[in-house]
Amino acid sequence: MGCQEELLIEKVCELYDQISSLESLKPCKNVDMLFTQLVLTCMPPSPIDVTNLPKRVQDIRSKLIRLCGEAEGLLESHYSAILGSYDNPLDHLHIFPYYTNYLKLGLLEFTILSQHCAHVPSKIAFVGSGPLPFTSIVLASNHLPTTTFHNYDLDTLANSQALRLVESDPDLSKRMVFHTSDILDVTNTLKDYEVVYLAALVGMDKEEKGRIIDHLAKHMAPGAFLMLRSAHGARAFLYPVVEPSDLHGFEVLSIFHPTDEVINSVLIARKYPMPVHSLDQGLGSMILPNKCSEIEAFNPLNHGNMIEELAFEEQSS
């Protein structure tokens, strides 16, 4: 392990010690300062592979991701309550400190989706929308003006706060639907969506994320798209990592790793139109003849050039 990686791990562990000792993760000057330091520490491109970390650091990373998730939820709830106090909340979204990141991420994900989806989807599901459903709002307002968005969250309060943001808008109030459900309990309805978005913090660890992905693979419509958020390098101290090998039942089309202030990597995959049999079943491997598309050609926001192209080669049956 290089000197830079050791210094990075030391700094992350130091910040974990401070964050984990806080009495509350509700937004305040000290909480904001510590999480800002953590993000700035993890943001620069790094060759670190979190799967190769010592067990002690792996455990700290798992706990840190959960603390980040809790703090993010409290921050969003705090700002959703403030926004909900306005007559027209959508006119004031800019008061959220990371709103511009969502604008950039929304454009990035829309551009990636447009590279692979030939038509405008009529219904999109967003799993883990929370009290500030910025992705759905940005996509519905700026990029997909005829699409209906079905937002799923476990938290009744989060959904009621989110509804408050759009209910006064004559357009979005009709195209934003909120469901208080565990996505693992949603089955047949998933076939209605041409695209399903999975929020980064839905499934905090590999096993939990895997169960959700397998459930989506079972119940989504054949050929439907799955958009996922992951993390790369040191950013994996902030969010769970999704590997292409985790996406059983899906053809992974492309992966994009931003190197700017947009923290999450973006994966797009398509559900296979037929079961894919592995070699250990003795039935051979069936992979659709669709190579991972080039996405280097578009880079509307200068997110950097961390691009992975997946070597799915055409195979004749």
Side-chain angles (χ1 to χ4, degrees):
M1 188 180 296
C3 180
Q4 287 292 105
E5 290 182 32
E6 290 178 0
L7 289 172
L8 171 67
I9 290 170
E10 183 181 335
K11 179 65 174 176
V12 168
C13 291
E14 175 190 317
L15 287 166
Y16 166 75
D17 288 339
Q18 295 179 66
I19 291 169
S20 61
S21 65
L22 293 169
E23 289 184 9
S24 169
L25 296 178
K26 289 182 178 179
C28 68
K29 187 175 181 181
N30 194 33
V31 170
D32 295 347
M33 179 191 70
L34 287 172
F35 277 101
T36 298
Q37 286 183 31
L38 179 63
V39 170
L40 292 176
T41 299
C42 297
M43 188 185 294
S46 168
I48 195 167
D49 181 356
V50 294
T51 62
N52 292 330
L53 296 173
K55 186 178 186 308
R56 180 186 71 86
V57 183
Q58 293 271 20
D59 291 343
I60 286 174
R61 173 181 171 258
S62 296
K63 293 172 184 173
L64 193 54
I65 287 172
R66 292 189 180 276
L67 289 170
C68 288
E70 182 183 346
E72 190 170 306
L74 290 168
L75 181 71
E76 290 188 1
S77 182
H78 173 75
Y79 275 95
S80 188
I82 294 172
L83 287 166
S85 67
Y86 291 101
D87 290 337
N88 297 297
L90 297 181
D91 294 337
H92 303 276
L93 299 180
H94 60 274
I95 70 171
F96 184 67
Y98 304 108
Y99 179 56
T100 56
N101 286 16
Y102 278 99
L103 290 175
K104 291 181 178 182
L105 182 59
L107 176 55
L108 175 63
E109 291 180 329
F110 169 72
T111 309
I112 291 173
L113 180 63
S114 299
Q115 295 285 312
H116 300 283
C117 186
H119 66 282
V120 175
S122 61
K123 293 173 78 173
I124 288 178
F126 192 97
V127 181
S129 48
L132 276 183
F134 273 136
T135 297
S136 294
I137 289 173
V138 168
L139 288 173
S141 301
N142 299 351
H143 306 295
L144 295 167
T146 61
T147 303
T148 300
F149 289 79
H150 288 255
N151 301 281
Y152 287 85
D153 203 279
L154 285 167
D155 189 334
T156 304
L157 177 58
N159 275 336
S160 64
Q161 286 185 293
L163 177 61
R164 172 72 187 95
L165 302 183
V166 299
E167 63 185 0
S168 63
D169 186 87
D171 174 32
L172 291 196
S173 61
K174 296 184 180 69
R175 294 194 293 122
M176 295 274 281
V177 183
F178 295 91
H179 306 274
T180 303
S181 305
D182 184 335
I183 200 63
L184 294 176
D185 295 329
V186 181
T187 54
N188 292 337
T189 308
L190 286 170
K191 290 183 171 58
D192 296 339
Y193 307 119
E194 294 131 293
V195 184
V196 175
Y197 276 76
L198 186 62
L201 291 170
V202 175
M204 290 283 202
D205 58 41
K206 197 172 185 69
E207 292 72 26
E208 191 180 350
K209 184 84 76 174
R211 282 196 301 274
I212 294 166
I213 291 170
D214 289 348
H215 179 79
L216 294 174
K218 182 178 180 181
H219 295 288
M220 282 172 59
F225 293 93
L226 177 62
M227 298 284 292
L228 306 100
R229 292 169 184 174
S230 180
H232 185 72
R235 298 168 182 223
F237 283 108
L238 307 174
Y239 290 102
V241 174
V242 179
E243 300 288 358
S245 57
D246 299 330
L247 294 170
H248 309 294
F250 291 94
E251 176 193 16
V252 181
L253 300 173
S254 65
I255 306 171
F256 188 83
H257 300 303
T259 55
D260 62 0
E261 66 274 12
V262 174
I263 300 298
N264 291 121
S265 302
V266 178
L267 289 80
I268 182 170
R270 178 165 45 208
K271 182 177 171 180
Y272 283 112
M274 63 188 75
V276 178
H277 302 289
S278 63
L279 289 170
D280 59 9
Q281 291 174 298
L283 295 171
S285 177
M286 303 192 314
I287 296 180
L288 292 186
N290 189 0
K291 290 183 180 178
C292 184
S293 298
E294 289 289 337
I295 59 173
E296 200 159 3
F298 80 89
N299 196 359
L301 301 168
N302 192 26
H303 287 280
N305 297 307
M306 286 294 293
I307 295 169
E308 287 184 21
E309 291 304 335
L310 306 176
F312 286 145
E313 295 296 333
E314 295 183 15
Q315 298 187 8
S316 56
S317 55

